[in-house]
Amino acid sequence: MKLEMKDTPGQLVAALKPISDVGGNIIAVIHQREEKTDGDVLAVQIVLELQEQRLGELLSLIKGQGVNVVRIGKERLLYKQTVIMIGHIMHTDLGDTVDRIDCTGYAEVTELTMVMPAISEPSSARLVIRAVNKEDMEQALGILRGVAKEKNLLIIEPLEEIG
Amino acid sequence: MKIAILGMGAVGRGILEMVDGKDLGLTVTGLADSKSALMDKDGIHIEEVLSAKQERGYCGDKSLSATDIVERADYDLLIEVTPTDAKTGEPATGFIKKAIGRGKHVVTSNKGPIALHYAELQSQARKHRVAVRYEATVGGAIPVMHTLQHGLAGNRVIAIFGILNGTCNFILTRMAAEGLTYDQALLEAREMGYAEADPTYDVKGIDAAIKLVILSNTIWKRNVKLNDVEITGIDMLTTDALRLAEEQHCTIRLIAEAVPERGILRVAPRVLPKNHPLVVNGSLNAITIETDMAGEITLIGKGAGSRETASAIIGDVLFIRDAHARGH
């Protein structure tokens, strides 16, 4: 989000404090002095992770500090992992496999690359899954594990998050 | 120190050659293969025995057996390097128990007894005030047990991740590098002598799982069994799968993973970035230990081979001599 605040000591701290109060995680603070609008107003960009339902609370806390929120850009599914799948992927209802993740609301299959050799041979696919956070990703992978078992597919999970 | 050796396969021969060629202060007083045995309290002439074994296929007196060596030979430490029977652990477990019962130290490369009877063997060894060490059972030449028990003493181990089967790692490396199919890579592994005629134990992930059991019981003493490990092998993997991983600068490796806090004990192929410290090539092994004080430690080395396994065995033998047997 992009904030505007008075260029006086203590203002930046005042703007950042509410973020930790609502359980947010600050990833970057970008201080853009060259973008000064008026003489005494400072523009600051903050990249942070926050549970979506707490955003309203954060905004009112920040405003309470006399800081103006200019813009909020949201990327909801920040957490990304790659999973490889082997088996009769198409004929075990690929649409349903993807749906089981998508319908959770907290995770989505955002990319799918599939290689299909001869008809009787197993196919291989790469799925990119995005989720709100690490816990949700674990949940999504758990669902996928269940689906794979049910459809007799082999899933190869990532060892740890791959950026 | 007087040692008796059971087993004259590649590992047993490797140990004999090293004991003969290096000035280690070890005297071999008993020796057995599957067909014969010999003992000499003043020391067996190693070169003669090795050439006899090569010429006629057995090492000593056919009227003697491994049991005679264990029960009657004059030794301080038994080196047990007979083939692994993962289901029963025999006859190795019987030999080890008898040696402990006689108050002798034991060093083994045999996964069966350690994976199946770890707690029992350790308690028996404590009772008789002797040591049982088994560095060579996991990770070949990598000193993982010494690292865990001594180098990382006082640390709490949170998790372990490892590439514990060189055959699988060789196959996956070749599939990724040359675009070979699984069957082609397996055939190549056989020709190179990395895979057994029956590769089931390796490619189905069972060998890696047995090693994971040994590591887990060494670290956490929870007496886990092979049945507790969730196992997926590499035999269903396609070349396409490796290529799909490659396109994202990743690859696939068979990873053994234990994270007790999260209830994880499994062996499965996993996607990981190619620059991950565990991604080693060919038949190498690698083990990452995650601890509270030291953070992450990764050990990489040769997972098999006659001299490499001899290194692990001899390391254990000399450790016992220096720690327990001084002044005897």
Side-chain angles (χ1 to χ4, degrees), chain A residues 80 82-86 111 113-117 122-126 128 138 145 154-162, chain B residues 161 230 232-233 236-238 240-245 247-248 250 252 255 257 262 266 269-273 276 278 296:
Chain A
K80 177 182 147 188
T82 300
V83 173
I84 290 186
M85 201 172 241
I86 299 171
E111 269 177 64
T113 311
M114 192 156 140
V115 184
M116 292 183 289
S123 315
S124 307
R126 183 180 65 223
V128 174
E138 284 292 324
R145 224 175 280 152
L154 171 64
I155 60 162
I156 305 170
E157 295 176 44
L159 183 60
E160 50 188 34
E161 61 267 39
I162 293 158
Chain B
F161 305 93
E230 192 190 323
T232 309
M236 298 298 288
L237 288 191
T238 59
D240 292 331
L242 280 143
R243 198 170 53 238
L244 288 165
E247 283 169 10
Q248 297 216 324
C250 291
I252 298 173
I255 302 289
E257 176 187 21
R262 293 170 57 205
R266 70 166 158 170
R270 304 289 281 274
V271 181
L272 56 175
H276 192 286
L278 278 179
E296 280 185 13

Side-chain angles (χ1 to χ4, degrees), chain A residues 60-80:
Chain A
S60 60
L61 280 172
I62 291 179
K63 273 180 194 154
Q65 299 286 339
V67 174
N68 190 20
V69 178
V70 181
R71 185 160 50 82
I72 302 170
K74 273 197 275 184
E75 193 182 345
R76 208 171 62 83
L77 304 173
L78 285 167
Y79 208 77
K80 177 182 147 188

Side-chain angles (χ1 to χ4, degrees), chain A residues 9-23:
Chain A
Q11 270 292 296
L12 183 57
V13 176
L16 294 181
K17 193 177 172 298
I19 296 173
S20 56
D21 291 345
V22 297

